[in-house]
């Protein structure tokens, strides 16, 4: 199992507001696009296609765990490339909240040799940066 994590970002919104945004998977469109093509989603799951090295890869994620103000975790749905769990770890601070994304991934050897870990790191880093941007400009809440 490979653990991939982002830095911990400080956000100017409450942990509850951040949790409300992240716990509704339909809202993930805001930080996944434009890389997520054909995004569809509801409260409990979302589906989209990403292009990696010229190949279109379907992604389906479903909510696994929700702890208000603290954690939202997602796992692959029926369409999956490999087993993994993506966690949005939230904490309260005096200025608002913090967020760290952690992906526990069972990356197949062939995908690992093709650089899947670096691709995943880039995806979660981009997601965190986009969430932070949305929070700063007041688009979460």
């Amino acid at each position: 199992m490979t653990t991939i994590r982002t830095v911990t970002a400080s956000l100017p919104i409450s942990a509850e507001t951040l949790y409300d945004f992240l716990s509704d998977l339909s809202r993930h469109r805001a930080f996944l696009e434009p890389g997520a093509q054909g995004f569809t989603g509801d409260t409990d799951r979302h589906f989209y296609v990403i292009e990696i090295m010229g190949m279109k890869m379907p992604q389906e994620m479903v909510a696994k765990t929700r702890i208000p103000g603290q954690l939202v975790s997602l796992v692959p749905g029926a369409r999956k490339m490999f087993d993994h769990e993506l966690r949005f770890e939230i904490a309260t601070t005096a200025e608002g909240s913090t967020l760290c994304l952690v992906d526990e991934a069972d990356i197949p050897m062939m995908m690992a040799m093709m650089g899947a870990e670096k691709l995943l790191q880039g995806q979660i880093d981009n997601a965190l940066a986009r969430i932070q941007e949305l929070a700063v400009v007041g688009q979460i809440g």
Side-chain angles (χ1 to χ4, degrees), residues 39-96:
F39 184 97
T40 59
D42 59 33
T43 303
D44 297 321
R45 71 179 51 238
H46 56 56
F47 173 81
Y48 56 92
V49 175
I50 57 173
E51 192 167 326
I52 301 173
M53 295 184 277
M55 297 182 296
K56 294 193 181 279
M57 311 289 264
Q59 302 288 304
E60 181 182 16
M61 299 296 284
V62 298
K64 176 184 176 191
T65 306
R66 292 181 175 112
I67 302 172
Q70 297 177 33
L71 175 73
V72 175
S73 73
L74 312 177
V75 294
R79 302 174 187 175
K80 66 180 177 179
M81 294 190 296
F82 52 86
D83 288 322
H84 66 111
E85 181 174 346
L86 175 62
R87 295 190 313 268
F88 295 85
E89 299 178 348
I90 304 164
T92 298
T93 66
E95 299 79 31

Side-chain angles (χ1 to χ4, degrees), residues 2-16:
T2 301
T3 300
I4 302 165
R5 71 175 44 246
T6 65
V7 298
T8 299
S10 295
L11 304 174
I13 58 175
S14 71
E16 292 76 23

